Amino acid sequence: MFTTKLFFSYNTLGDKMKVLKNDGKDVVIFLPASNIFLDRLKREELEDYFKTLFLKLEDRYGIDHSGFYQIYVYKDSYYGAILEIEEEDLPYLDYIDNEVEMNIHIPKDTSFMYQLEDILDLDLEILKASNLYYYQNRFYIELKREVQKKNYLQLLEYGELIYGEKVKKVQRSGKLFSCLFCE
């Protein structure tokens, strides 16, 4: 059975981030745009950042990490970053207690979309600044340029943020609409 726990945390810069954890040791962390400092870190610094993050998750929320992890860093210029931390089930590492090994992946050309049931309540500025897709009875907004903060917050409120393979599937198989009433 898969259940998700939602936590809120603060990183070392004091910015808010959202932490989701499932039944296992897999964690998804949503970092707002102000945390996009991950771009400037070298590989060794990035590993140190994740080690510190693992310690904070254990200290503040009792989320214990030891073993081998695949870490995926998805970045978007409008939202920020999403970190997927997936535990690998490697039985020969069981003897290593309280040690973390990680493989960090930073996919190129990632983008985020916002899944919506209905687009009629959105401000027209959002539609003018976006690609609009329709896929499996849902609408998907992909921002092409920045929008006013109040409109971006509306998009976050009404939509569910998606990333990774799901975005690629929508781009491949979804129907792209042009905004006829945006002119």
Side-chain angles (χ1 to χ4, degrees):
M1 174 179 218
F2 181 82
T3 60
T4 301
K5 294 181 182 178
L6 173 64
F7 301 103
F8 285 97
S9 181
Y10 293 88
N11 72 2
T12 56
L13 301 176
D15 296 321
K16 202 176 254 193
M17 65 180 163
K18 181 169 79 170
V19 179
L20 295 175
K21 181 188 181 308
N22 69 16
D23 280 344
K25 291 188 176 184
D26 296 349
V27 176
V28 178
I29 300 173
F30 297 83
L31 298 168
S34 59
N35 283 320
I36 206 72
F37 69 93
L38 294 171
D39 285 340
R40 297 184 301 274
L41 297 179
K42 295 181 178 91
R43 169 106 15 224
E44 300 79 29
E45 294 169 324
L46 202 52
E47 288 175 1
D48 289 341
Y49 171 77
F50 282 110
K51 288 175 186 176
T52 303
L53 183 62
F54 284 141
L55 290 172
K56 284 185 180 193
L57 291 173
E58 182 178 356
D59 183 48
R60 292 186 183 176
Y61 303 112
I63 301 174
D64 181 35
H65 287 96
S66 60
F68 185 75
Y69 291 88
Q70 298 289 343
I71 300 174
Y72 298 89
V73 180
Y74 298 96
K75 296 181 286 186
D76 179 76
S77 57
Y78 305 111
Y79 179 80
I82 296 177
L83 312 175
E84 274 189 353
I85 304 169
E86 300 174 355
E87 181 182 26
E88 286 287 319
D89 190 22
L90 300 174
Y92 65 88
L93 286 178
D94 285 343
Y95 69 91
I96 302 174
D97 193 26
N98 294 325
E99 285 197 28
V100 173
E101 293 292 327
M102 63 189 90
N103 190 8
I104 301 169
H105 308 272
I106 304 174
K108 302 239 185 280
D109 300 323
T110 60
S111 62
F112 296 175
M113 286 186 173
Y114 306 85
Q115 177 183 301
L116 301 126
E117 297 295 324
D118 189 8
I119 59 169
L120 294 177
D121 290 333
L122 293 178
D123 190 277
L124 191 56
E125 180 199 17
I126 296 171
L127 297 175
K128 287 182 178 181
S130 304
N131 285 330
L132 176 65
Y133 291 86
Y134 189 73
Y135 178 68
Q136 294 184 339
N137 299 322
R138 290 190 173 83
F139 292 99
Y140 294 87
I141 298 281
E142 178 182 36
L143 287 177
K144 296 184 296 187
R145 63 182 179 271
E146 200 167 334
V147 295
Q148 292 178 20
K149 185 174 182 173
K150 69 177 180 121
N151 289 333
Y152 185 69
L153 292 174
Q154 180 189 39
L155 185 59
L156 285 174
E157 179 183 352
Y158 290 153
E160 176 186 340
L161 186 63
I162 65 165
Y163 58 94
E165 283 302 312
K166 191 166 185 180
V167 168
K168 290 178 184 175
K169 195 179 291 185
V170 171
Q171 289 171 331
R172 276 191 313 266
S173 304
K175 179 159 176 64
L176 178 63
F177 286 95
S178 61
C179 184
L180 299 175
F181 52 91
C182 292
E183 305 303 322

